[in-house]
Amino acid sequence: MFRPVVRLSTSGVRSLTRTRQCYSAPLASRCYSHAKVETDEEFDARWVTYFSKPDIDAWELKKGMNTLIGYDLVPEPKILDSALRACRRLNDLASAIRILEAVKDKSGPHKDIYPYLIQELQPTLIELGISTPEDLGMDIL
Amino acid sequence: MLATRALSLVGKRAISTSICVRGGHGVAKVDDYNPLPDVQFVTELSAVQKSLKEKEKGSWATLSNEEKIALYRISFKQSFAEMNEGTKEWKSVIAGMFFFIGMTGLVVLWQRKFVYGPVPPTFESEWKEKEVQRMLDMRINPVEGFSAKWDYENKEWKK
């Protein structure tokens, strides 16, 4: 997960987990929630499974993508791969291109994330015949 | 946090489903940051667009770039680049700022000429010279302040 490195915000649940694992004897009791914290791998697996549903419908794709983009992170290539294949099953090329645009936008100032994602997704893009926004000249006005 | 997001999503869906969609371009409100909106941009497809949609069901590698762009434009009104494009509003803002500062300057000048009376005589050079001399004679702040900077031997300011 490409988490913002410097953030210790409440949305960064995983960073909270990491500090908790280093925590030895509790001197004072803290009011941490007792809910089970999801690891990065579990998060990724959950989303890959979500998009891998063979009979996923258009609404579920949209809902999934909008929710995923709403999170404070850039999705892993494997999640995007799963989402792009879902687009293929739904015969929706426009959404596939849109997903690529969205993750580029999501990376914000970290310009090295998007090229890495494209590099990782290259086999899938070639296999499914998806052009990147750059190929289509849509990244410029 | 999740609850508020769920609520806001419910609220947004309620808005978008209640909006009536006119042919061609829906009136669907663009949600704050949903990359895949509920309603596609072009709702009534022309014959060309319909055939393109049929071709989309086959291999995407056979589609030309123009066809891919056309498919994108059917679903989405603006690309991310177009959506995120800044306006030129800032130029108007700066221009307005300068204009009003200028207007204020004119008002201030007019005030000085027509509103304010003459400055008191105590500001005249001759008066000021006599005032400084009087202060030095009185030895105002002779240790570290005013008179301390005056060289009484040579009758000049200390270098």
Side-chain angles (χ1 to χ4, degrees), chain A residues 66 88 93 98 101 105 131, chain B residues 33 35 56 58 68 72 78:
Chain A
N66 291 338
R88 175 65 267 192
L93 175 63
R98 189 74 160 181
E101 279 188 307
D105 192 62
S131 304
Chain B
Y33 192 69
E56 194 183 15
K68 288 180 180 174
Y72 184 94
Q78 290 180 312

Side-chain angles (χ1 to χ4, degrees), chain A residues 10-11 59 61-63 65-67 69-72 84 87-99 101-102 105-106 126-131 135-141, chain B residues 1-2 5 9 13 31 33-40 53 55-61 63-69 71-85:
Chain A
T10 50
S11 66
W59 185 90
L61 172 67
K62 283 181 199 153
K63 175 76 171 123
M65 272 322 300
N66 291 338
T67 309
I69 294 295
Y71 291 151
D72 184 20
L84 292 173
C87 289
R88 175 65 267 192
R89 292 197 293 284
L90 289 163
N91 299 320
D92 192 353
L93 175 63
S95 294
I97 301 171
R98 189 74 160 181
I99 288 170
E101 279 188 307
D105 192 62
K106 201 65 191 165
I126 293 170
E127 181 194 331
L128 300 178
I130 300 170
S131 304
D135 292 339
L136 299 172
M138 298 194 77
D139 56 325
I140 42 147
L141 291 160
Chain B
M1 187 182 72
L2 280 168
R5 187 176 297 135
L9 278 168
R13 286 189 62 211
D31 289 334
Y33 192 69
N34 282 355
L36 298 178
D38 289 353
V39 183
Q40 75 178 30
K53 276 292 192 186
K55 199 174 171 192
E56 194 183 15
K57 293 178 184 170
S59 169
W60 290 341
L63 295 166
S64 70
N65 281 1
E66 288 73 27
E67 288 173 328
K68 288 180 180 174
I69 295 173
L71 281 167
Y72 184 94
R73 291 291 175 195
I74 290 171
S75 293
F76 305 112
K77 183 179 181 195
Q78 290 180 312
S79 70
F80 263 71
E82 289 158 3
M83 181 171 70
N84 291 335
E85 185 185 359

Side-chain angles (χ1 to χ4, degrees), chain B residues 89-123:
Chain B
E89 192 192 7
W90 67 272
K91 294 180 188 172
S92 311
V93 170
I94 299 288
M97 276 170 58
F98 285 143
F99 176 75
F100 283 111
I101 290 169
M103 286 304 304
T104 311
L106 288 176
V107 168
V108 166
L109 290 174
W110 178 87
Q111 270 184 334
R112 276 210 196 138
K113 191 158 192 302
F114 293 107
V115 174
Y116 298 134
V119 155
T122 53
F123 284 93

